[in-house]
Structures are given as structure tokens and as C-alpha cells.
């Protein structure tokens, strides 16, 4: 018998229950077969996800651009309605500095309350969106190990392995 003939006798194909891929087993070796239908469906799904993700990301950045334009217009309106109009149009030259001072306080309160707080919230939510939507869609696959963050307490509580050379009375 030839070596190739022995391989043909021992080769068999089986379907894995989890992966669904076709595998050929030859004397202790495992080779993945190519399943065109499964690969095609997988690539179509990936393409649809990519296109929808691109549209979603573009819409998100257009939303940020629109908010920045709206904030610029709001700042102009707040300036004209609270400071420029009432403060500088005061008829009495003795009351004009007091009116400008009061109108400036109103302008700063409105600007802080509306624009700066909204911008801070917008920045926070955009950073959160980048982490959870864009980063998680690109790199995160929930098929690995459970995440356990580094913890000094649990690390220091574990005993050192024998012969590690770290501390101890034998040194």
C-alpha cells in the first residue's frame, strides 16, 4: 500500500455542531474545508453591517456639525438679545455702565447654562458613543475570555508559586 492510499482510507468528513464548517480529518490532522454558501452569507452580513455602520457614523458626525452650527447661532442670539441690545442702547449715560454690567451677567449666565453645559454633555456623549458604538463594532467580539480588570488586592492576596525567588526565608 502506498502512503497516499492509507490517507484516503482514513480520511472522513464530519460536520461540527458549533462551527458548522466542514472539516477533513486525516490521521490526527484536522483541515477546514471550504463551504462557499456559508462564506457567502457571512460576507453579505458583514457587508450590510459595514454599510449600516458607515451611514450611522456619518449621520453622527453630521449631527455634531449641526450642533456646532446651532451653538454658534445661539451664542450670537444670546449676545444680541441680552448684552448688545439692552445694555448698549441705554439712553442715560450714567446708567449705561450699570446696564451693561447687569446685561453682561445675564449673558454669561445664559451662555454658561445653555451653551457650555450642553457642549460638555455633547462631548461626554460623543466620547461614550465612540467607545460603545464604533470601537465595540470594529474590534470587540464577545467570543473570548471574560474580562477581569487588574486588581492589586486580588493579585497580592494570591500566594507566590514555590521556587519563584521572590522574598521568603530561604533567601
Amino acid at each position: 500500500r502506498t502512503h497516499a492510499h492509507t490517507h484516503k482510507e482514513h480520511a472522513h468528513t464530519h460536520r461540527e455542531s458549533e462551527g458548522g464548517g466542514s472539516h477533513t480529518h486525516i490521521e490526527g490532522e484536522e483541515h477546514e474545508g471550504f463551504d462557499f454558501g456559508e462564506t457567502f452569507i457571512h460576507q453579505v452580513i458583514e457587508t450590510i453591517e459595514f454599510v449600516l455602520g458607515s451611514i450611522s457614523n456619518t449621520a453622527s458626525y453630521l449631527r455634531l456639525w449641526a450642533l456646532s452650527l446651532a451653538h454658534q447661532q445661539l451664542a450670537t442670539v444670546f449676545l444680541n438679545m441680552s448684552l448688545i441690545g439692552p445694555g448698549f442702547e441705554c439712553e442715560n449715560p450714567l446708567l449705561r455702565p450699570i446696564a451693561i454690567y447687569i446685561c453682561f451677567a445675564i449673558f454669561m449666565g445664559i451662555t454658561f447654562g445653555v451653551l457650555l453645559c450642553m457642549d460638555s454633555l455633547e462631548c461626554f456623549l460623543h466620547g461614550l458613543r465612540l467607545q460603545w458604538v464604533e470601537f465595540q463594532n470594529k474590534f470587540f467580539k464577545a467570543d473570548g475570555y471574560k474580562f477581569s480588570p487588574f486588581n492589586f488586592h486580588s493579585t497580592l492576596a494570591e500566594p507566590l508559586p514555590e521556587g519563584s525567588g521572590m522574598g521568603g526565608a530561604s533567601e
Side-chain angles (χ1 to χ4, degrees):
R1 290 187 173 200
T2 64
H3 191 262
H5 192 308
T6 306
H7 278 293
K8 286 182 182 176
E9 287 180 357
H10 294 318
H12 67 281
T13 302
H14 67 281
R15 203 90 154 120
E16 283 192 349
S17 60
E18 289 181 11
S22 176
H23 297 283
T24 304
H25 183 71
I26 301 175
E27 293 183 348
E29 296 180 13
E30 194 169 311
H31 302 280
E32 288 216 15
F34 181 74
D35 187 0
F36 178 77
E38 182 178 332
T39 303
F40 180 77
I41 295 294
H42 181 71
Q43 290 303 316
V44 166
I45 291 170
E46 290 287 330
T47 303
I48 291 170
E49 286 179 353
F50 177 78
V51 169
L52 289 176
S54 297
I55 292 169
S56 171
N57 293 339
T58 303
S60 177
Y61 284 107
L62 287 174
R63 204 169 33 243
L64 287 174
W65 176 68
L67 279 171
S68 69
L69 287 178
H71 287 186
Q72 185 271 335
Q73 289 299 313
L74 276 173
T76 304
V77 168
F78 291 160
L79 180 67
N80 290 332
M81 297 294 284
S82 64
L83 184 61
I84 303 289
F88 287 104
E89 291 179 0
C90 184
E91 301 285 329
N92 189 341
L94 295 174
L95 293 178
R96 186 175 299 147
I98 296 170
I100 290 174
Y101 183 78
I102 291 170
C103 290
F104 182 75
I106 292 170
F107 169 71
M108 287 306 295
I110 291 172
T111 300
F112 177 78
V114 175
L115 296 178
L116 292 179
C117 290
M118 275 179 42
D119 280 336
S120 298
L121 181 63
E122 177 187 339
C123 291
F124 168 74
L125 291 176
H126 183 63
L128 193 65
R129 182 203 170 279
L130 286 174
Q131 176 66 32
W132 284 100
V133 176
E134 290 187 25
F135 180 76
Q136 300 291 0
N137 281 343
K138 284 186 180 179
F139 307 111
F140 180 73
K141 302 284 185 206
D143 58 357
Y145 298 100
K146 180 182 175 186
F147 175 71
S148 60
F150 181 75
N151 185 344
F152 279 112
H153 180 69
S154 63
T155 302
L156 295 175
E158 294 175 6
L160 292 174
E162 289 293 320
S164 66
M166 301 294 292
S170 63
E171 290 186 18

